[in-house]
Each structure stands twice: as C-alpha cells, then as structure tokens.
Amino acid sequence: MIMQEGAPRETHVLIRGEYDKKGQKVSAAVPVALGALPKDAPPNRLGLAKWLIDPAHPLTSRVIVNRYWQLFFGTGLVKTAEDFGSQGEPPSHPEMLDWLAVES
C-alpha cells in the first residue's frame, strides 16, 4: 500500500511492436469521453477516487441503473454488465440509460 505519493515519473506511450521505443509523453488524466476531473482535484489516485464516487459523476450511476435493470428484466440496457467499458457492448437505449442515471 502506498502511504504517500512520490514525484510522478515520466510516462510515454509505447510504440506498438517496439516496446523499447518511447512515443509521445503523457500525463495523468481521465479519458475525455468521461468528462474531466474537477478543477480542485489533484491529478493523482486520490483525485481519481474522489471523482469516481462524486454524485455528479455519470459512470457510477449508469452502472448501478444498468445492474438494477438487469435484476428486474433479466438483461441490462448494456448486455455486458460485467464489462461496462469500451470493450463491452454499447447500451441498447443510451438516452434511457442516461435519463435513469440522472433522474433516479
């Protein structure tokens, strides 16, 4: 377990097929499609954890709504409830999922 954050190291995208060659330099951030960290959140694990459980964060409520939908109706709005990310299936009714996540 990490009790304190150290200085962040330089991180690069590794070029496919040539893992000893460094590509573009990257920094800590969340994917653009998921929004952004709040302005006051530090770009580290604590900032990410607070962002994930923030009531305004869209992903957490979408996952919960999908699991309840699956409990009641047998299949979730996203069929791959165990993989809600980019590798899973897209929602069958994304507008309904968004509305339920915001209004419930």
Side-chain angles (χ1 to χ4, degrees):
M1 294 175 64
I2 301 205
M3 300 303 287
Q4 131 183 12
E5 292 281 334
R9 63 187 169 125
E10 271 194 14
T11 307
H12 299 268
V13 174
L14 298 176
I15 298 172
R16 186 177 206 164
E18 298 182 41
Y19 295 104
D20 59 339
K21 307 274 192 235
K22 293 181 179 178
Q24 175 184 345
K25 185 177 174 183
V26 294
S27 60
V30 295
V32 175
L34 296 178
L37 289 174
K39 298 276 185 212
D40 60 338
N44 59 20
R45 286 180 286 215
L46 179 59
L48 178 64
K50 287 182 177 181
W51 176 73
L52 281 173
I53 61 169
D54 184 353
H57 184 269
L59 186 60
T60 308
S61 56
R62 292 178 89 220
V63 169
I64 295 297
V65 164
N66 188 62
R67 291 194 182 202
Y68 285 148
W69 189 276
Q70 184 176 8
L71 253 163
F72 289 119
F73 300 110
T75 302
L77 293 167
V78 177
K79 288 184 182 177
T80 53
E82 70 283 351
D83 190 356
F84 210 80
S86 63
Q87 305 258 329
E89 288 189 31
S92 58
H93 297 83
E95 295 86 10
M96 185 183 336
L97 182 60
D98 289 342
W99 183 83
L100 289 169
V102 172
E103 297 298 324
S104 300

